[in-house]
Short mmCIF file of all heavy atoms in Angstrom, two decimals:
data_model
loop_
_atom_site.label_atom_id
_atom_site.label_comp_id
_atom_site.label_asym_id
_atom_site.label_seq_id
_atom_site.Cartn_x
_atom_site.Cartn_y
_atom_site.Cartn_z
N MET A 1 128.89 137.50 -78.55
CA MET A 1 128.23 137.06 -79.79
C MET A 1 128.79 135.74 -80.32
O MET A 1 128.56 135.39 -81.48
CB MET A 1 128.37 138.15 -80.88
CG MET A 1 127.85 139.52 -80.47
SD MET A 1 126.09 139.50 -79.98
CE MET A 1 125.34 139.26 -81.58
N GLU A 2 129.52 135.02 -79.50
CA GLU A 2 130.06 133.73 -79.91
C GLU A 2 129.68 132.67 -78.89
O GLU A 2 129.55 132.95 -77.70
CB GLU A 2 131.59 133.78 -80.01
CG GLU A 2 132.13 134.70 -81.09
CD GLU A 2 133.65 134.66 -81.15
OE1 GLU A 2 134.25 133.87 -80.39
OE2 GLU A 2 134.23 135.43 -81.94
N GLN A 3 129.49 131.43 -79.37
CA GLN A 3 129.25 130.33 -78.46
C GLN A 3 130.58 129.71 -78.04
O GLN A 3 131.43 129.46 -78.89
CB GLN A 3 128.35 129.26 -79.10
CG GLN A 3 126.89 129.63 -79.11
CD GLN A 3 126.00 128.44 -79.42
OE1 GLN A 3 126.38 127.30 -79.23
NE2 GLN A 3 124.79 128.73 -79.90
N LYS A 4 130.71 129.45 -76.75
CA LYS A 4 131.92 128.83 -76.23
C LYS A 4 131.54 127.67 -75.33
O LYS A 4 130.45 127.66 -74.74
CB LYS A 4 132.76 129.86 -75.46
CG LYS A 4 133.28 130.99 -76.33
CD LYS A 4 134.22 131.90 -75.57
CE LYS A 4 134.77 133.01 -76.46
NZ LYS A 4 135.72 133.90 -75.74
N GLU A 5 132.44 126.70 -75.23
CA GLU A 5 132.19 125.53 -74.40
C GLU A 5 133.32 125.35 -73.39
O GLU A 5 134.49 125.55 -73.72
CB GLU A 5 132.07 124.27 -75.25
CG GLU A 5 130.87 124.27 -76.19
CD GLU A 5 130.64 122.91 -76.84
OE1 GLU A 5 131.43 121.97 -76.57
OE2 GLU A 5 129.66 122.78 -77.61
N TYR A 6 132.94 124.98 -72.17
CA TYR A 6 133.90 124.70 -71.11
C TYR A 6 133.51 123.35 -70.48
O TYR A 6 132.34 123.16 -70.12
CB TYR A 6 133.87 125.78 -70.03
CG TYR A 6 134.15 127.17 -70.52
CD1 TYR A 6 133.11 128.00 -70.94
CD2 TYR A 6 135.44 127.67 -70.55
CE1 TYR A 6 133.36 129.29 -71.39
CE2 TYR A 6 135.71 128.96 -71.00
CZ TYR A 6 134.66 129.76 -71.41
OH TYR A 6 134.91 131.04 -71.86
N SER A 7 134.45 122.44 -70.38
CA SER A 7 134.15 121.14 -69.78
C SER A 7 134.82 121.02 -68.42
O SER A 7 135.88 121.60 -68.16
CB SER A 7 134.62 120.01 -70.70
OG SER A 7 136.03 120.05 -70.87
N PHE A 8 134.20 120.25 -67.55
CA PHE A 8 134.74 120.02 -66.21
C PHE A 8 134.18 118.69 -65.69
O PHE A 8 133.12 118.22 -66.12
CB PHE A 8 134.39 121.17 -65.26
CG PHE A 8 132.92 121.50 -65.20
CD1 PHE A 8 132.13 121.01 -64.18
CD2 PHE A 8 132.34 122.31 -66.17
CE1 PHE A 8 130.78 121.31 -64.11
CE2 PHE A 8 130.98 122.62 -66.12
CZ PHE A 8 130.20 122.12 -65.09
N TYR A 9 134.92 118.09 -64.76
CA TYR A 9 134.48 116.82 -64.20
C TYR A 9 133.34 117.04 -63.22
O TYR A 9 133.47 117.75 -62.23
CB TYR A 9 135.65 116.12 -63.50
CG TYR A 9 136.64 115.50 -64.46
CD1 TYR A 9 137.85 116.13 -64.74
CD2 TYR A 9 136.35 114.29 -65.09
CE1 TYR A 9 138.77 115.57 -65.63
CE2 TYR A 9 137.26 113.72 -65.99
CZ TYR A 9 138.45 114.36 -66.25
OH TYR A 9 139.34 113.80 -67.14
N ALA A 10 132.20 116.43 -63.52
CA ALA A 10 131.03 116.52 -62.66
C ALA A 10 129.94 115.62 -63.24
O ALA A 10 130.09 115.07 -64.34
CB ALA A 10 130.52 117.95 -62.57
N LYS A 11 128.85 115.50 -62.50
CA LYS A 11 127.67 114.81 -62.98
C LYS A 11 126.58 115.84 -63.23
O LYS A 11 126.43 116.81 -62.48
CB LYS A 11 127.18 113.77 -61.97
CG LYS A 11 128.16 112.63 -61.73
CD LYS A 11 127.61 111.64 -60.71
CE LYS A 11 128.58 110.49 -60.49
NZ LYS A 11 128.06 109.53 -59.48
N LEU A 12 125.80 115.63 -64.28
CA LEU A 12 124.75 116.59 -64.61
C LEU A 12 123.72 116.69 -63.49
O LEU A 12 123.16 117.77 -63.25
CB LEU A 12 124.07 116.21 -65.93
CG LEU A 12 123.24 117.30 -66.61
CD1 LEU A 12 124.10 118.52 -66.92
CD2 LEU A 12 122.59 116.77 -67.89
N ASP A 13 123.49 115.59 -62.78
CA ASP A 13 122.57 115.63 -61.64
C ASP A 13 123.05 116.61 -60.57
O ASP A 13 122.26 117.32 -59.95
CB ASP A 13 122.43 114.24 -61.02
CG ASP A 13 121.65 113.27 -61.89
OD1 ASP A 13 121.00 113.74 -62.84
OD2 ASP A 13 121.71 112.06 -61.64
N GLU A 14 124.37 116.66 -60.36
CA GLU A 14 124.94 117.56 -59.37
C GLU A 14 124.76 119.02 -59.79
O GLU A 14 124.45 119.88 -58.96
CB GLU A 14 126.43 117.26 -59.18
CG GLU A 14 126.71 115.87 -58.62
CD GLU A 14 128.18 115.51 -58.66
OE1 GLU A 14 128.96 116.20 -59.36
OE2 GLU A 14 128.55 114.52 -58.00
N VAL A 15 124.97 119.29 -61.08
CA VAL A 15 124.80 120.65 -61.59
C VAL A 15 123.34 121.07 -61.44
O VAL A 15 123.04 122.20 -61.03
CB VAL A 15 125.23 120.74 -63.07
CG1 VAL A 15 124.97 122.14 -63.62
CG2 VAL A 15 126.71 120.38 -63.22
N GLU A 16 122.43 120.16 -61.74
CA GLU A 16 121.00 120.46 -61.62
C GLU A 16 120.65 120.81 -60.17
O GLU A 16 119.89 121.76 -59.92
CB GLU A 16 120.18 119.26 -62.08
CG GLU A 16 118.68 119.51 -62.06
CD GLU A 16 117.89 118.31 -62.53
OE1 GLU A 16 118.47 117.21 -62.64
OE2 GLU A 16 116.68 118.48 -62.78
N GLN A 17 121.20 120.10 -59.22
CA GLN A 17 120.95 120.39 -57.81
C GLN A 17 121.51 121.74 -57.41
O GLN A 17 120.88 122.50 -56.66
CB GLN A 17 121.54 119.28 -56.94
CG GLN A 17 120.81 117.95 -57.04
CD GLN A 17 121.45 116.88 -56.19
OE1 GLN A 17 122.55 117.05 -55.66
NE2 GLN A 17 120.77 115.76 -56.03
N GLN A 18 122.71 122.06 -57.91
CA GLN A 18 123.33 123.34 -57.58
C GLN A 18 122.50 124.52 -58.07
O GLN A 18 122.43 125.56 -57.42
CB GLN A 18 124.73 123.41 -58.20
CG GLN A 18 125.73 122.45 -57.59
CD GLN A 18 127.01 122.39 -58.41
OE1 GLN A 18 127.20 123.16 -59.35
NE2 GLN A 18 127.89 121.47 -58.07
N LEU A 19 121.88 124.35 -59.23
CA LEU A 19 121.14 125.44 -59.86
C LEU A 19 119.67 125.47 -59.44
O LEU A 19 118.90 126.28 -59.94
CB LEU A 19 121.26 125.35 -61.38
CG LEU A 19 122.67 125.59 -61.91
CD1 LEU A 19 122.75 125.32 -63.40
CD2 LEU A 19 123.13 127.00 -61.60
N SER A 20 119.30 124.56 -58.55
CA SER A 20 117.94 124.52 -58.01
C SER A 20 116.92 124.53 -59.15
O SER A 20 116.97 123.68 -60.02
CB SER A 20 117.75 125.71 -57.06
OG SER A 20 116.51 125.69 -56.44
N HIS A 21 116.01 125.51 -59.13
CA HIS A 21 114.95 125.54 -60.15
C HIS A 21 115.22 126.57 -61.25
O HIS A 21 114.32 126.91 -62.02
CB HIS A 21 113.60 125.86 -59.48
CG HIS A 21 113.21 124.85 -58.45
ND1 HIS A 21 112.90 123.55 -58.78
CD2 HIS A 21 113.10 124.94 -57.11
CE1 HIS A 21 112.59 122.88 -57.67
NE2 HIS A 21 112.71 123.70 -56.64
N LYS A 22 116.45 127.05 -61.34
CA LYS A 22 116.76 128.07 -62.34
C LYS A 22 116.91 127.49 -63.73
O LYS A 22 116.69 128.19 -64.74
CB LYS A 22 118.04 128.81 -61.94
CG LYS A 22 117.89 129.62 -60.65
CD LYS A 22 119.18 130.34 -60.31
CE LYS A 22 119.02 131.14 -59.02
NZ LYS A 22 120.28 131.82 -58.64
N PHE A 23 117.34 126.21 -63.83
CA PHE A 23 117.51 125.56 -65.13
C PHE A 23 116.53 124.38 -65.22
O PHE A 23 116.02 123.91 -64.21
CB PHE A 23 118.95 125.09 -65.30
CG PHE A 23 119.87 126.16 -65.79
CD1 PHE A 23 120.00 127.36 -65.09
CD2 PHE A 23 120.63 125.99 -66.95
CE1 PHE A 23 120.85 128.36 -65.54
CE2 PHE A 23 121.49 126.98 -67.40
CZ PHE A 23 121.59 128.17 -66.70
N VAL A 24 116.27 123.94 -66.45
CA VAL A 24 115.27 122.90 -66.69
C VAL A 24 115.93 121.67 -67.30
O VAL A 24 116.63 121.77 -68.32
CB VAL A 24 114.15 123.41 -67.62
CG1 VAL A 24 113.14 122.30 -67.91
CG2 VAL A 24 113.46 124.62 -67.00
N ARG A 25 115.67 120.51 -66.70
CA ARG A 25 116.17 119.24 -67.23
C ARG A 25 115.21 118.78 -68.33
O ARG A 25 114.02 118.54 -68.07
CB ARG A 25 116.25 118.21 -66.12
CG ARG A 25 116.97 116.90 -66.48
CD ARG A 25 118.46 117.15 -66.64
NE ARG A 25 119.21 115.90 -66.79
CZ ARG A 25 119.81 115.27 -65.78
NH1 ARG A 25 119.76 115.79 -64.54
NH2 ARG A 25 120.47 114.16 -65.97
N ILE A 26 115.70 118.66 -69.56
CA ILE A 26 114.84 118.24 -70.66
C ILE A 26 115.17 116.84 -71.16
O ILE A 26 114.42 116.26 -71.94
CB ILE A 26 114.93 119.23 -71.86
CG1 ILE A 26 116.35 119.23 -72.44
CG2 ILE A 26 114.50 120.64 -71.45
CD1 ILE A 26 116.48 119.96 -73.77
N HIS A 27 116.29 116.30 -70.68
CA HIS A 27 116.77 115.01 -71.18
C HIS A 27 117.82 114.52 -70.18
O HIS A 27 118.37 115.31 -69.40
CB HIS A 27 117.39 115.20 -72.57
CG HIS A 27 117.74 113.95 -73.30
ND1 HIS A 27 118.91 113.27 -73.08
CD2 HIS A 27 117.06 113.25 -74.27
CE1 HIS A 27 118.95 112.21 -73.88
NE2 HIS A 27 117.84 112.17 -74.60
N GLN A 28 118.09 113.23 -70.21
CA GLN A 28 119.13 112.69 -69.34
C GLN A 28 120.46 113.40 -69.54
O GLN A 28 121.24 113.55 -68.60
CB GLN A 28 119.30 111.19 -69.60
CG GLN A 28 120.32 110.51 -68.68
CD GLN A 28 120.44 109.03 -68.97
OE1 GLN A 28 119.74 108.50 -69.83
NE2 GLN A 28 121.33 108.36 -68.25
N ARG A 29 120.69 113.90 -70.76
CA ARG A 29 121.98 114.52 -71.08
C ARG A 29 121.94 116.04 -71.09
O ARG A 29 123.00 116.67 -71.18
CB ARG A 29 122.47 114.05 -72.46
CG ARG A 29 122.89 112.60 -72.56
CD ARG A 29 123.62 112.36 -73.87
NE ARG A 29 124.84 113.17 -73.96
CZ ARG A 29 125.34 113.61 -75.12
NH1 ARG A 29 124.73 113.38 -76.27
NH2 ARG A 29 126.46 114.33 -75.12
#
């Protein structure tokens, strides 16, 4: 029931590729 944030070195394009079509890109960020 709480929001948490975790940061790591990567590019958002790489994360998008890893997750295939499971997540949606809505903005460059």
Side-chain angles (χ1 to χ4, degrees):
M1 305 302 288
E2 295 182 3
Q3 282 194 23
K4 296 186 178 181
E5 296 190 359
Y6 302 90
S7 63
F8 53 98
Y9 285 102
K11 295 180 179 179
L12 196 59
D13 289 346
E14 296 171 346
V15 177
E16 183 180 13
Q17 290 179 349
Q18 292 170 7
L19 294 173
S20 184
H21 300 294
K22 295 180 180 179
F23 277 56
V24 178
R25 190 71 172 264
I26 64 169
H27 189 277
Q28 183 179 359
R29 291 192 62 210

